[in-house]
Amino acid sequence: MKTERLLLIMVLLLTMAVGAAKADETDVADTDSLSPDGKPLHKMQQKIKYTVRGFDRLEDEYIEPQHYEWSVMLQATRNFEEFILSSNGQSIMFSPDQRIKLGPYFGWRWFFLGWTFDLKNLDIFSHTDKREIDFSIYSSQIGVDLFYRRTGSDYQLRQVRMGYGIDGTRFEDTPFSGISVGITGVNAYYIFNHGRFSYPAAFSQSTCQKISCGSWMAGAGFYKNTLDLDFEQLRSLLEDKMGANEAVKLDSGLMFDRIKYYDYSLSGGYAYNWVFAKNWLFCSSGQVALAYKTGHGDTADDYDGFSIKKLNLDGIGRFALVYNNTRWYAGATAILRTNNYRTERFSAINIFGSFNTFVGYNFGLKKRYRQK
């Protein structure tokens, strides 16, 4: 999937969200059969209008709707990533230095736009080969995640196990620029108990959960994954760190140039919002995906490479602690994802996510709340 296609999907999802946001301006039961000028709608138009509004239909006893049109927020984000390669008893963990980004956000109903900058690099126009788009829509009924990640060249060796009798600690925190990981894809899921359970209360602060409640979820996803490795650079780096009387041979399963595979998945899971005090919420959510992966890889000892056709399990966890009194809100969220590929020959595990802390302020009462 090319970048242009991903951006097109984002535009379509934003268009859908705008329709739902506009639908929130009036009472659903009284206007589903009328157009803005008061004329009756065609049955198909009524059905489409009802479906779009259903994305945020909820039960007021359990969930307090958003009272305001606008919001401002300050957020700090720390991204996390690890990549683990293993083969025949050898394993190497790669990860970049963890950086903290800070920036302001401005919101209108469902949408937040903002700019974050790296606190270790205040030159926002500096060149970097890291490219990340991580875009999520949280409505009461459905959720959508889009990814576009291209790692930079700032990885380091973290945990290294080369075999019995070899001290792997000597390799730790050694810079290594010979690995590049890319993930592009989309994941969508349906929330069954969407009238009483609110994902937005935990992750977009656009509603408030009033009574503890949970929900089962089911979804589907598609991802394109690429992994490039300069195994000659890796082998040379390991040999340079070895002692004069030691020898290490990199396993052939780790001697590949490029792996490219497609991931088709079906997922299921459960989420729970715990309201442990007035205006306070703790959310815990987990999904497991059964993923079919197909593609191709090139290794040093296989001129024609090898094919990939495998079922694996992937996962995603979301956690949030939020205070929200409808005017002010603050809290923290953590989102962690795993992308696995395992065969008898070798395994590749990509773990990535983000930890966010935020504080925000809502303003501009909606029409329906101005007279209350």
Side-chain angles (χ1 to χ4, degrees), residues 47-344:
K47 186 174 182 180
I48 294 174
K49 188 176 182 181
Y50 185 86
T51 301
V52 171
R53 289 184 172 179
F55 292 148
D56 263 354
R57 187 172 285 111
L58 47 83
E59 296 184 23
D60 291 349
E61 179 185 355
Y62 282 80
I63 304 169
E64 185 69 24
Q66 174 64 282
H67 292 190
Y68 299 91
E69 300 275 5
W70 303 92
S71 182
V72 292
M73 180 178 73
L74 181 66
Q75 177 171 291
T77 298
R78 181 168 184 171
N79 291 323
F80 168 85
E81 182 171 7
E82 290 182 351
F83 202 91
I84 306 170
L85 295 176
S86 304
S87 179
N88 291 329
Q90 294 183 352
S91 68
I92 304 175
M93 176 191 291
F94 306 86
S95 70
D97 286 333
Q98 309 304 317
R99 297 180 179 271
I100 298 176
K101 294 182 178 182
L102 180 70
Y105 284 76
F106 301 90
W108 175 71
R109 297 189 180 183
W110 282 18
F111 309 103
F112 268 92
L113 297 176
W115 182 273
T116 60
F117 55 89
D118 192 333
L119 294 182
K120 291 186 178 181
N121 181 13
L122 297 181
D123 182 5
I124 60 177
F125 299 105
S126 62
H127 174 74
T128 177
D129 51 358
K130 280 182 176 289
R131 289 167 289 169
E132 297 182 13
I133 299 175
D134 193 343
F135 179 77
S136 297
I137 291 179
Y138 297 102
S139 76
S140 296
Q141 191 174 97
I142 64 169
V144 180
D145 301 317
L146 293 119
F147 307 101
Y148 179 84
R149 297 173 56 85
R150 296 295 182 268
T151 63
S153 56
D154 60 344
Y155 278 91
Q156 296 186 31
L157 306 186
R158 299 299 183 182
Q159 293 182 2
V160 179
R161 296 183 176 87
M162 298 305 299
Y164 179 76
I166 298 177
D167 181 13
T169 59
R170 74 186 70 182
F171 307 110
E172 293 178 2
D173 300 327
T174 301
F176 178 68
S177 61
I179 186 172
S180 178
V181 182
I183 302 175
T184 305
V186 59
N187 175 58
Y189 50 91
Y190 181 82
I191 301 168
F192 290 96
N193 192 20
H194 51 82
R196 297 182 175 183
F197 168 83
S198 176
Y199 239 166
F203 295 99
S204 63
Q205 296 78 54
S206 57
T207 61
C208 296
Q209 185 85 43
K210 296 193 289 187
I211 300 176
S212 299
C213 193
S215 177
W216 291 99
M217 300 176 294
F222 169 78
Y223 303 89
K224 175 185 175 182
N225 303 267
T226 59
L227 170 61
D228 295 281
L229 178 69
D230 187 340
F231 67 86
E232 292 288 0
Q233 180 182 344
L234 178 61
R235 183 163 55 185
S236 297
L237 179 63
L238 294 174
E239 290 175 353
D240 290 342
K241 293 284 185 177
M242 298 298 294
N245 298 322
E246 295 177 308
V248 61
K249 182 178 180 181
L250 191 66
D251 189 82
S252 61
L254 300 178
M255 297 170 63
F256 61 85
D257 296 312
R258 181 177 177 84
I259 296 176
K260 178 180 178 181
Y261 62 92
Y262 296 91
D263 184 319
Y264 307 88
S265 65
L266 295 175
S267 62
Y270 190 79
Y272 190 78
N273 282 345
W274 176 34
V275 181
F276 58 90
K278 184 179 180 180
N279 299 327
W280 282 94
L281 166 70
F282 176 76
C283 177
S284 178
S285 168
Q287 290 176 268
V288 176
L290 181 63
Y292 176 71
K293 304 182 180 184
T294 177
H296 183 80
D298 300 314
T299 63
D301 59 352
D302 267 333
Y303 181 78
D304 294 328
F306 59 94
S307 61
I308 296 172
K309 290 184 179 180
K310 191 73 174 179
L311 282 173
N312 289 125
L313 291 177
D314 295 331
I316 178 171
R318 305 177 199 259
F319 307 91
L321 176 65
V322 178
Y323 172 83
N324 191 344
N325 64 9
T326 72
R327 172 70 81 171
W328 289 93
Y329 58 91
T333 63
I335 302 174
L336 187 65
R337 297 178 171 88
T338 65
N339 191 311
N340 305 301
Y341 178 71
R342 298 177 183 272
T343 68
E344 295 180 356

